[in-house]
């Protein structure tokens, strides 16, 4: 299937920078978030949380809380277990993976500090919090398993004894002959990399309102989530409610970045509390709660080495990744996916064929870890790109030249990586050449040399990357997880000739409504302003995968395209009957039926709609106007649509203080067909900022007893606008041929390589002093230690 040529028309909506239609509404404070919703008879829940990372629950005394003003219910884990069946966060294709069953609230013991233990429901959140202070819980503290090496020790306490060990999953990849390659290599570089846990810190925290009506019975859930259909299925199955009686509504969402994909214990409890009370129950996590209950990400220690010949040609990689995921594997997407993508994306841009890797995913007494923007990509990219820079130093080659000599040629596709990933078509060399020209590389190197003479130390770092997008059923369906890889769209022409598009991909602020409107406008032949896009309601929109893993444009957009083509065919059929013309001689543009050969306007779409809806008696006999279509699309062909690109970082290091000033970032990215350049560039810039946050600022720090020591915005650092540089973005377009649209994903590309480019830049700046760093975040203290100053 080839990409359509109409996308290259000068007046095409595809490739045009169109502002988001919801931007003014949100900027004006007219957004409607879960927090803004108030339902009749609504109650509020507060949770009593464990102060211990690991402890038995000996006794709970809630008598005083039950008698407190405004309290309607105090519920324990045992109460909710009568209504809710347990869940287990495993996938079938991860052979040998294990995780203990989970319930909304624990019954016997707690397994991380901050775990919700008791729910207090009252007329207001303040009353619920006051009453929660009156709940007395007796704990018997147990040894906390915090460190990943301690967790794997044969003598370590086992967090879930029924599993036999603290090992959740172990995966291995071995192409064979790796040891021989390393033994005969001219150059071998190796390093231990440490990646600090961090979390999403979304503008809007997690929020949910569950409203159970026993008279129907029906459950309506207003949920700040990017995947309402997933939660419709979960609530129905685990609470025994027919799926058709469960409605999940995702209103405006203040950011998600993957964090709002997962099932959280407090959210599941809210549903049970509403069932118990027969009234709406609302829960909004405050910032302190978010730090100890939102999923974390990127807790990895990677030991890796790379072999090369005398000329710097990469021959092999050998990797050991150990990652800690908390006491459970998250549900339903599991906590193994990140590690799986780390060890399968290692070395992805390069031609070498010898690869060996060992992945160990371990349980620990910490907050659950799972998917977050650019799942695994920054870890794999940072390890690979740092080792490539080390090979360049060993062979006295420039960092651009070493990559140019090792990247997969742009004419070598399709090809398969040593880890088994199948690449349709990538553009590493085109991207590398473009970014070198954009950043004026030779000038920067000359300037760097002159400034070093003055005691000013600047660093230049580059990093190539490969990103997973457009996942097929090979992502979740193959593992038995009920997360859809297909999407659905319903297109309707109203009696006035306007168009309504109900689609399963969701709007999170990234521009779903905009790009879907552009695609429908392009392929139906109507003005963008006459299209209304509706998302985020399982009652009205068709079932689909919604928004995750950079699939919105590539899969949801293709769904909209095909639905528009189908509806256009219906319209032209009716128009042909009215005009007594052959349908294939007609076309539709700007809301008019036109003569395809001459472009002459024949009849307006609004007139066709008027006739179809109100004067069908004037249509030729047997003509049934179908001005509504429902269409579903699932990806075919390659299991994933891989994208690629390269990032560059220019920074200045104060070697006396360890402070870093990021001067500029450049990104060249290939996401296939670019639908809306404005939104694509802003997605990339936002992703780069999150990547730099991980590189320099963000880390969830734990003490030896499993206590999170910086769980507030007073202590947890996030990047601010004043600390961020200009981010220059450019593109190479290599459309996927698996779809007519040709679009791949772009939402995670900015995050994928930012940390890697930054680390290479820091090490470049430190090179005159012989210091190196391989740990993120690269804080001033760690940089000074690498320089030997502390």
């Amino acid at each position: 299937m080839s990409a359509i040529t109409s996308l290259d028309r000068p007046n095409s909506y595809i490739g045009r920078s169109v502002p988001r239609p919801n931007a003014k509404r949100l900027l004006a404070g007219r957004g409607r978030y879960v927090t803004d919703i108030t339902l009749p008879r609504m109650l509020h829940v507060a949770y009593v949380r464990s102060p211990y990372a690991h402890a038995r629950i000996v006794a709970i005394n809630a008598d005083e809380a039950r008698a407190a003003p405004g309290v309607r219910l105090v519920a324990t884990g045992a109460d909710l277990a009568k209504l809710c069946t347990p869940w287990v966060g495993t996938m079938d294709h991860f052979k040998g993976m294990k995780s203990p069953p989970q319930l909304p609230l624990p019954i016997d013991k707690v397994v991380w500090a901050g775990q919700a233990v008791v729910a207090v429901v009252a007329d207001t959140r303040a009353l619920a919090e006051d009453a929660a202070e009156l709940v007395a819980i007796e704990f018997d503290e147990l040894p906390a398993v915090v460190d990943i090496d301690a967790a794997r020790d044969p003598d370590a306490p086992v967090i879930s004894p029924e599993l036999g060990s603290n090992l959740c999953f172990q995966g291995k990849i071995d192409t064979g002959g790796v040891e021989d390659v390393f033994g005969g290599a001219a150059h071998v570089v190796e390093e231990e990399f440490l990646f600090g846990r961090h979390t999403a810190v979304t503008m809007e925290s997690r929020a949910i309102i569950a409203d159970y009506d026993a008279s129907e019975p029906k459950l309506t859930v207003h949920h700040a989530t990017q995947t309402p259909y997933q939660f419709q299925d979960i609530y129905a199955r685990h609470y025994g409610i027919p799926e058709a009686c469960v409605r999940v509504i995702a209103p405006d969402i203040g950011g998600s970045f993957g964090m709002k994909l997962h099932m959280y214990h407090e959210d599941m409890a809210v549903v049970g509390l509403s069932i118990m009370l027969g009234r709406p129950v609302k829960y909004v996590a405050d910032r302190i709660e978010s730090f100890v209950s939102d999923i974390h990400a990127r807790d990895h220690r990677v030991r890796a080495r790379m072999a090369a010949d005398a000329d710097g040609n990469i021959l092999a990689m050998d990797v050991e990744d150990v990652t800690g995921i908390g006491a459970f594997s998250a549900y339903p997407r599991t906590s193994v996916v990140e590690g799986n993508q780390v060890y399968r994306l290692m070395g992805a841009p390069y031609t070498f064929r010898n690869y060996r890797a060992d992945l160990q995913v371990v349980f620990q007494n910490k907050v659950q870890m799972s998917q977050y923007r650019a799942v695994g990509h920054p870890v794999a990219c940072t390890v690979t790109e740092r080792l490539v820079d080390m090979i360049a130093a060993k062979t006295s080659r420039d960092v651009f030249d070493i990559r140019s000599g090792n990247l997969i040629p742009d004419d070598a596709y399709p090809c398969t990586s040593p880890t088994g990933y199948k690449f349709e078509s990538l553009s590493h060399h085109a991207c590398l050449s473009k970014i070198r020209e954009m950043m004026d590389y030779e000038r920067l190197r000359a300037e760097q040399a002159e400034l070093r003479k003055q005691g000013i130390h600047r660093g230049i770092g580059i990093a190539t990357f490969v990103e997973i997008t457009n996942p097929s059923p090979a992502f979740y369906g193959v593992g038995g997880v009920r997360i859809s890889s297909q999407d659905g769209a319903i297109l309707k022409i109203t009696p006035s000739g306007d168009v309504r598009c109900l689609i399963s991909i969701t709007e999170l602020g990234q521009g779903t409504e905009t790009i879907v409107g552009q695609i429908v406008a392009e392929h139906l032949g109507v003005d963008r302003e006459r299209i209304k896009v509706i998302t985020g309601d399982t009652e009205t929109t068709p079932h689909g995968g919604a928004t995750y893993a950079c699939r919105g444009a590539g899969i949801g957009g293709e769904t909209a395209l095909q639905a528009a083509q189908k509806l256009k065919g219906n319209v032209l059929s009716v128009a042909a009957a009215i005009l007594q013309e052959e349908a294939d001689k007609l076309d539709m543009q700007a809301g008019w039926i036109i003569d395809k050969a001459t472009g002459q306007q024949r009849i307006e779409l609004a007139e066709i709609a008027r006739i179809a809806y109100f004067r069908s008696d004037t249509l030729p006999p047997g003509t049934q106007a179908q001005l509504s279509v429902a269409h579903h699309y699932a990806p075919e062909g390659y299991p994933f649509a891989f994208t690629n690109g390269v990032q560059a970082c220019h920074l200045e290091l104060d070697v006396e203080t360890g402070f870093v000033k990021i001067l500029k970032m450049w990104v060249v990215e290939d996401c296939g067909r670019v639908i809306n350049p404005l939104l694509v560039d802003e997605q990339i810039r936002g992703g780069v900022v999150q990547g730099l946050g991980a590189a320099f600022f963000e880390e969830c720090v734990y003490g030896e007893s499993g206590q999170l020591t910086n769980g507030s915005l007073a202590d947890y650092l996030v990047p601010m606008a004043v600390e961020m540089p200009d981010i220059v973005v450019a593109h190479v377009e290599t459309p996927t041929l698996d779809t007519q649209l040709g679009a791949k994903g772009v939402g995670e590309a900015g995050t994928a390589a930012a940390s890697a480019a930054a680390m290479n830049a820091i090490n470049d700046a430190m090179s005159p002093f012989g210091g190196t760093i391989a740990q993120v975040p690269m804080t001033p203290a760690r940089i000074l230690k690498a320089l030997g100053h502390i």
Side-chain angles (χ1 to χ4, degrees):
M1 186 183 296
S2 61
I4 51 179
T5 57
S6 66
L7 297 179
D8 298 315
R9 294 202 310 260
N11 62 345
S12 173
Y13 276 103
I14 307 300
R16 187 188 301 182
S17 291
V18 177
R20 290 188 287 139
N22 62 357
K24 287 184 179 179
R25 176 175 63 83
L26 296 175
L27 286 171
R30 304 289 293 179
R32 188 171 185 264
Y33 302 89
V34 172
T35 307
D36 298 317
I37 298 172
T38 300
L39 301 180
R41 304 172 61 245
M42 188 172 74
L43 302 172
H44 300 259
V45 62
Y47 291 100
V48 184
R49 297 179 179 275
S50 169
Y52 301 107
H54 197 194
R56 292 188 185 90
I57 301 171
V58 178
I60 298 173
N61 187 336
D63 292 343
E64 286 189 60
R66 289 188 175 96
V71 171
R72 304 292 177 168
L73 176 69
V74 177
T76 65
D79 297 323
L80 289 163
K82 297 173 183 176
L83 301 173
C84 181
T85 59
W87 60 90
V88 179
T90 58
M91 282 201 273
D92 298 341
H93 65 303
F94 293 132
K95 301 302 181 185
M97 182 186 179
K98 57 189 180 182
S99 183
Q102 302 175 57
L103 287 166
L105 299 178
I107 297 175
D108 300 317
K109 68 175 182 177
V110 293
V111 288
W112 80 86
Q115 183 177 6
V117 182
V118 177
V120 179
V121 186
D123 293 338
T124 68
R125 174 65 178 256
L127 289 173
E129 290 183 353
D130 288 345
E133 295 284 343
L134 303 176
V135 176
I137 305 176
E138 182 183 348
F139 293 101
D140 179 12
E141 188 175 4
L142 299 170
V145 181
V146 180
D147 178 73
I148 54 174
D149 288 322
R152 296 184 299 157
D153 191 300
D155 297 325
V158 178
I159 298 171
S160 299
E162 68 274 21
L163 301 181
S165 74
N166 291 319
L167 184 65
C168 170
F169 175 75
Q170 182 165 14
K172 293 181 181 292
I173 300 172
D174 192 347
T175 60
V178 170
E179 206 59 50
D180 292 339
V181 173
F182 273 92
H187 301 288
V188 174
V189 294
E190 57 186 320
E191 184 63 272
E192 178 178 278
F193 298 85
L194 298 174
F195 297 87
R197 270 182 174 243
H198 51 279
T199 189
V201 196
T202 53
M203 186 161 55
E204 176 203 24
S205 61
R206 286 191 294 115
I208 182 172
I209 302 171
D211 183 7
Y212 182 74
D213 182 351
S215 66
E216 296 197 48
K218 182 175 182 179
L219 173 67
T220 302
V221 182
H222 301 266
H223 199 172
T225 178
Q226 59 195 83
T227 51
Y229 312 95
Q230 167 193 296
F231 286 101
Q232 179 189 39
D233 169 73
I234 288 172
Y235 297 145
R237 284 190 294 114
H238 289 281
Y239 278 104
I241 306 168
E243 187 174 53
C245 297
V246 177
R247 179 184 186 184
V248 178
I249 304 167
D252 290 323
I253 308 285
S256 177
F257 315 120
M259 184 272 287
K260 295 174 184 173
L261 287 170
H262 310 284
M263 171 51 63
Y264 291 93
H265 300 85
E266 299 97 333
D267 299 352
M268 197 65 144
V270 167
V271 173
L273 296 169
S274 181
I275 293 172
M276 294 170 73
L277 288 161
R279 293 175 63 172
V281 177
K282 183 175 188 176
Y283 171 67
V284 178
D286 63 31
R287 287 297 177 187
I288 303 297
E289 290 179 301
S290 292
F291 276 105
V292 297
S293 61
D294 292 354
I295 61 106
H296 294 175
R298 318 271 206 257
D299 188 359
H300 292 256
R301 185 195 65 205
V302 182
R303 293 170 176 155
R305 56 183 182 149
M306 181 177 281
D309 65 16
D311 296 323
N313 297 307
I314 301 170
L315 304 174
M317 279 188 76
D318 189 13
V319 175
E320 178 194 78
D321 178 18
V322 184
T323 177
I325 61 166
F328 299 105
S329 171
Y331 183 74
R333 295 167 186 264
T334 85
S335 299
V336 167
V337 170
E338 180 171 281
N340 181 67
Q341 292 188 181
V342 166
Y343 87 146
R344 291 192 179 278
L345 281 169
M346 289 284 181
Y350 298 102
T351 57
F352 69 90
R353 306 307 303 163
N354 299 95
Y355 182 71
R356 182 173 64 191
D358 179 86
L359 168 68
Q360 295 185 50
V361 181
V362 300
F363 296 119
Q364 54 188 172
N365 291 118
K366 291 183 180 179
V367 179
Q368 293 177 92
M369 192 189 81
S370 195
Q371 286 92 310
Y372 168 67
R373 192 177 197 173
V375 182
H377 295 67
V379 178
C381 183
T382 300
V383 171
T384 301
E385 294 301 300
R386 177 65 191 132
L387 292 179
V388 171
D389 263 24
M390 292 169 72
I391 290 290
K394 279 267 190 179
T395 56
S396 300
R397 295 185 63 184
D398 179 79
V399 293
F400 270 93
D401 295 341
I402 195 77
R403 287 170 173 81
S404 181
N406 282 284
L407 289 168
I408 300 170
D410 290 354
D411 61 358
Y413 298 95
C415 66
T416 304
S417 75
T419 68
Y421 278 149
K422 297 179 180 180
F423 302 139
E424 177 193 9
S425 186
L426 302 176
S427 56
H428 292 298
H429 289 271
C431 291
L432 192 70
S433 176
K434 193 165 192 172
I435 204 168
R436 183 169 187 156
E437 181 180 351
M438 283 169 56
M439 62 192 294
D440 197 354
Y441 179 66
E442 283 72 20
R443 180 190 64 80
L444 287 181
R445 282 298 184 198
E447 178 187 70
Q448 179 188 48
E450 286 301 312
L451 289 174
R452 280 181 176 172
K453 297 175 184 177
Q454 304 170 36
I456 299 171
H457 298 279
R458 291 186 173 178
I460 303 166
I462 62 171
T464 61
F465 67 90
V466 170
E467 179 198 356
I468 296 174
T469 76
N470 291 11
S472 73
F475 206 61
Y476 288 116
V478 69
V481 176
R482 295 170 65 86
I483 296 172
S484 181
S485 61
Q486 62 90 56
D487 273 306
I490 299 172
L491 284 183
K492 305 176 182 180
I493 296 174
T494 70
S496 62
D498 292 336
V499 180
R500 291 167 65 85
C501 175
L502 298 93
I503 195 160
S504 57
I505 55 172
T506 44
E507 172 66 60
L508 313 176
Q510 84 281 36
T512 289
E513 295 173 1
T514 311
I515 64 166
V516 169
Q518 288 178 258
I519 292 165
V520 172
E522 171 76 19
H523 295 282
L524 183 58
V526 297
D527 292 333
R528 170 67 186 87
E529 292 74 20
R530 301 199 70 173
I531 300 169
K532 172 68 174 177
V533 180
I534 299 168
T535 71
D537 187 341
T538 62
E539 189 96 322
T540 58
T541 60
H543 192 279
T547 302
Y548 70 88
C550 284
R551 62 184 305 285
I555 300 177
E558 182 71 12
T559 307
L561 182 154
Q562 294 184 14
Q565 290 177 331
K566 184 184 290 187
L567 181 58
K568 183 177 181 178
N570 290 358
V571 172
L572 294 181
S573 177
V574 177
I578 294 171
L579 298 171
Q580 299 183 20
E581 182 62 270
E582 295 179 24
D584 61 2
K585 293 183 179 180
L586 301 174
D587 199 359
M588 189 156 68
Q589 287 185 11
W592 279 85
I593 308 304
I594 64 170
D595 184 274
K596 184 181 290 186
T598 66
Q600 179 186 357
Q601 293 180 344
R602 300 289 301 276
I603 186 172
E604 196 171 8
L605 176 61
E607 177 62 10
I608 292 176
R610 184 193 68 80
I611 293 170
Y613 283 112
F614 306 123
R615 290 305 309 273
S616 58
D617 59 308
T618 64
L619 294 171
T623 303
Q624 292 290 331
Q626 301 294 323
L627 300 188
S628 297
V629 300
H631 184 75
H632 288 261
Y633 166 77
E636 300 176 288
Y638 284 83
F640 308 96
F642 286 94
T643 74
N644 71 276
V646 57
Q647 293 193 30
C649 176
H650 188 214
L651 53 78
E652 187 173 303
L653 171 64
D654 185 328
V655 296
E656 299 300 322
T657 65
F659 283 11
V660 175
K661 182 178 182 180
I662 310 167
L663 302 173
K664 203 162 190 177
M665 294 288 295
W666 295 266
V667 184
V668 175
E669 190 272 348
D670 186 345
C671 63
R673 186 69 67 184
V674 175
I675 299 170
N676 186 318
L678 173 67
L679 297 186
V680 166
D681 288 0
E682 292 313 305
Q683 280 283 293
I684 290 173
R685 289 190 177 96
V688 168
V689 169
Q690 285 190 292
L692 294 175
F696 293 106
F697 301 98
E698 299 184 55
E699 184 175 20
C700 297
V701 180
Y702 279 83
E704 293 182 359
S705 63
Q707 298 290 330
L708 181 62
T709 62
N710 63 335
S712 77
L713 287 176
D715 302 300
Y716 182 93
L717 301 180
V718 293
M720 307 296 285
V722 69
E723 294 151 340
M724 291 296 100
D726 286 341
I727 302 169
V728 182
V729 181
H731 301 278
V732 171
E733 290 190 63
T734 309
T736 174
L737 300 184
D738 278 348
T739 65
Q740 295 180 64
L741 186 60
K744 306 174 186 178
V746 74
E748 299 176 304
T751 309
S755 291
M759 180 177 285
N760 281 340
I762 287 289
N763 280 295
D764 182 49
M766 291 196 299
S767 59
F769 305 93
T772 62
I773 190 168
Q775 181 175 4
V776 294
M778 296 176 287
T779 62
R782 287 170 179 161
I783 291 172
L784 290 176
K785 183 177 181 181
L787 289 167
H789 295 346
I790 59 174

